[in-house]
Amino acid sequence: WVNAAVREREGHYIGRLEATVYEGTCAEIAYIFAPSFWGKGYATEAVQWWLEALGVGEVWIATRPDNTASRRLAERLGFAWRATTPRPLGSADPGDLLYVWTG
């Protein structure tokens, strides 16, 4: 597990990033932000940085079908929808949509 706090430029804590890295080759990530910071680009900027910082070639996100904001974020950053993963994801629940990014 790798975690990072996300702060805005003024230094206030606004969310966090999480990753489970598998054998240094791929990762499963999550991002959690305070609702008052949704829709302002913070998650997009943070996840983009997270993709580079993790340094793995494949990154997975699982999201509920009704979470259109996360689906749009994944697609905006180049994640592609996949029906299955090569390994079980710890954060995926039945019915979740799975997205993969390959750097």
Side-chain angles (χ1 to χ4, degrees), residues 69-83:
S70 282
R71 290 173 40 209
R72 282 193 303 256
L73 181 147
E75 292 164 1
R76 186 170 37 256
L77 292 177
F79 283 78
W81 177 83
R82 292 289 186 271

Side-chain angles (χ1 to χ4, degrees), residues 57-76:
E58 186 177 281
V59 177
W60 290 86
I61 293 175
T63 187
R64 294 185 322 265
D66 63 343
N67 189 339
T68 56
S70 282
R71 290 173 40 209
R72 282 193 303 256
L73 181 147
E75 292 164 1
R76 186 170 37 256

Side-chain angles (χ1 to χ4, degrees), residues 4-5 8-9 12 20 30 38-39 45 47 66 75 85 87 91-92:
E8 63 180 341
R9 284 174 178 73
H12 299 100
T20 302
W38 294 357
E45 183 178 348
V47 171
D66 63 343
E75 292 164 1
T85 67
R87 66 180 45 80
S91 65

Side-chain angles (χ1 to χ4, degrees), residues 2-101:
V2 182
N3 296 303
V6 180
R7 297 181 184 276
E8 63 180 341
R9 284 174 178 73
E10 291 77 25
H12 299 100
Y13 173 75
I14 62 172
R16 72 179 185 269
L17 302 168
E18 301 175 352
T20 302
V21 180
Y22 298 96
E23 301 167 0
T25 60
C26 76
E28 171 184 357
I29 66 168
Y31 44 92
I32 300 94
F33 284 79
S36 60
F37 294 96
W38 294 357
K40 298 180 180 180
Y42 289 108
T44 299
E45 183 178 348
V47 171
Q48 190 169 23
W49 173 83
W50 201 224
L51 294 173
E52 296 172 20
L54 290 171
V56 296
E58 186 177 281
V59 177
W60 290 86
I61 293 175
T63 187
R64 294 185 322 265
D66 63 343
N67 189 339
T68 56
S70 282
R71 290 173 40 209
R72 282 193 303 256
L73 181 147
E75 292 164 1
R76 186 170 37 256
L77 292 177
F79 283 78
W81 177 83
R82 292 289 186 271
T84 61
T85 67
R87 66 180 45 80
L89 299 181
S91 65
D93 292 323
D96 278 353
L97 298 176
L98 307 173
Y99 289 87
V100 65
W101 174 87

